[in-house]
Amino acid sequence: MLPDTAIRADAPAQYDAIIIGGSFAGLSAATYIARARRSVCIVDAGAPRNRFAAHSHGFLAQDGSNPAAILATARAQVSAYPTVRFISAHAIDASSENDGFRVDLDDGTTLHGRKLVLAYGLSDDLPAIPGLAERWGASVIHCPYCHGYEFSGQRLGVLASTPMSAHQAMLVAEWGPVTFYLNGQPTPDTQELAELEKRGVAIEPAAIRALHGDLPHLSGIELANGRIDPLDALYVGPRTRFNSDIAQKLGCAVEEHAAGAFIRTDSLKETTVPGIYAAGDIARGAHSVAWACGDGVMAGVATHRSLVFG
């Protein structure tokens, strides 16, 4: 949990906006709402999705920085605005009210807000392979744009885990020699096989027994037949799940994609329920810190404008 700035005695009975989730998307939204001098309460449980990574890459002016340090700086800056409140808790329920929304927290607190921004993020459901979870975010990774440069030219693997894994293997081949580990999954179709061959991707159909190496590093991948292939990084596209079911409870439309689901939003990041916005990984199929921040900015600006003109 993050330190609590709690609800002070001067907290409003109803906030202009409540943001559920205080990572990159939520803090970006809060910044713009606060700079418009509106009251905003941020509810956050302190477990951002990228907490397993020591470095964040591809985020302008922060390339290689520790994501926890970036968030700490952002939180301190957002906290400096007098209309901002932070609460370290889990939002467990939410409902519509005549003049806005009610949010119930696991500490017994009830909040009321005119507008609601959902930014509670996703969790990754990792394959149950011994040694995999312990290396997640270090040598077991999912995004070549986020981590690929650091493993350029090394021995790379891609694990078949979703319908998009073959495409991932084709892409990762841009960064070095790739083996596509099917782990007992079906062989790619003829068109995919041709493209994988064109990209120089080797295919290993055998099941995987375990990953090896001095943590958090990876040195090899053990197959069911006992053979250990030398490997420096393994790409995995895990299934994802929402960190909360509040969007569904509120009636927001949700769409499925190859690796999970996302909340449907329009170009202003408003959901299908008026007055509720969604930002970050829960509101798009592609994920990165930069996209989360951009979505948060849009959600924050749109939330403020809806307060003015709605």
Side-chain angles (χ1 to χ4, degrees), residues 16-17 19 25-38 40 115-117 266-270 275 277-279 292-310:
D16 289 318
I19 300 176
L27 290 175
S28 295
T31 298
Y32 278 74
I33 297 170
R35 289 188 60 78
R37 304 179 301 172
R38 296 288 187 151
V40 55
K115 306 292 180 181
L116 191 59
V117 179
D266 63 15
S267 60
L268 299 179
K269 306 310 297 181
E270 189 170 25
Y277 298 80
C293 290
D295 285 352
V297 170
M298 178 56 73
V301 170
T303 296
H304 173 250
R305 292 187 179 186
S306 70
L307 289 166
V308 176
F309 300 111

Side-chain angles (χ1 to χ4, degrees), residues 93-225:
D93 202 2
S95 57
S96 297
E97 298 181 323
N98 290 334
D99 55 351
F101 303 94
R102 166 181 170 146
V103 177
D104 297 318
L105 310 184
D106 62 352
D107 64 0
T109 302
T110 296
L111 305 174
H112 303 272
R114 294 175 61 190
K115 306 292 180 181
L116 191 59
V117 179
L118 307 179
Y120 44 72
L122 302 172
S123 289
D124 297 292
D125 289 331
L126 300 175
I129 296 173
L132 190 148
E134 298 89 329
R135 295 173 171 82
W136 180 239
S139 54
V140 176
I141 52 183
H142 80 287
C143 173
Y145 297 105
C146 301
H147 304 287
Y149 185 86
E150 285 64 39
F151 290 100
S152 294
Q154 299 184 49
R155 300 164 299 187
L156 309 177
V158 173
L159 179 67
S161 55
T162 76
M164 290 299 294
S165 294
H167 174 79
Q168 184 183 32
M170 299 172 200
L171 181 63
V172 171
E174 278 289 294
W175 282 264
V178 171
T179 298
F180 186 29
Y181 292 93
L182 299 184
N183 193 29
Q185 295 296 310
T187 302
D189 62 34
T190 302
Q191 184 176 352
E192 288 175 330
L193 285 172
E195 188 61 31
L196 288 164
E197 183 179 2
K198 177 182 176 182
R199 303 288 296 152
V201 175
I203 296 178
E204 174 53 65
I208 295 171
R209 181 179 292 171
L211 303 185
H212 297 282
D214 294 332
L215 291 174
H217 304 291
L218 176 65
S219 63
I221 184 168
E222 182 180 354
L223 306 179
N225 61 10

